[in-house]
Amino acid sequence: MRVVLRILAAAFLALSVVLLVADGTAMLAANAFIATPLAATIASLFPGTLETVQLAVQDNVHPLLWEPTLTTLLAWPGWAVIGAVGLLLALLGRSRSRRRMVSIDQF
């Protein structure tokens, strides 16, 4: 399970770096701060997906989950959201460190 989490974390972090480089290139060209929202990235990669997800969430889960929560998340920069998910997956997939018992005599 940890191996799967580590692989997913690496994929998400790699995608985050690609999106950050794309935004950085656009920033250098425009000489201004440009952050592409996650919704625009998803719409350009998978057209029609956001409308389908919106209908599915509003019909099957709850309309309040879409409007204040997911729309806010989709308005954030794509590299930040995907990078945060990648970091979370990396933390969940990390190996546990061994804890050694230290005796008082060792000091």
Side-chain angles (χ1 to χ4, degrees):
M1 182 66 179
R2 288 188 183 155
V3 173
V4 173
L5 289 175
R6 289 179 189 172
I7 291 171
L8 285 174
F12 274 84
L13 290 173
L15 180 61
S16 174
V17 169
V18 168
L19 292 176
L20 182 61
V21 168
D23 279 351
T25 305
M27 284 184 218
L28 288 174
N31 202 16
F33 181 75
I34 296 174
T36 306
L38 182 61
T41 303
I42 292 173
S44 66
L45 293 176
F46 309 107
T49 303
L50 287 177
E51 293 82 13
T52 306
V53 171
Q54 178 182 3
L55 290 175
V57 167
Q58 287 178 341
D59 291 344
N60 298 325
V61 182
H62 199 278
L64 290 177
L65 178 64
W66 178 260
E67 185 51 42
T69 308
L70 292 178
T71 54
T72 302
L73 189 69
L74 290 171
W76 291 348
W79 54 266
V81 175
I82 294 173
V85 172
L87 286 176
L88 179 67
L89 289 174
L91 286 174
L92 290 175
R94 72 175 187 228
S95 61
R96 296 183 184 193
S97 62
R98 291 187 172 178
R99 296 185 183 192
R100 296 184 306 183
M101 297 297 290
V102 177
S103 173
I104 194 74
D105 297 332
Q106 292 178 350
F107 289 108

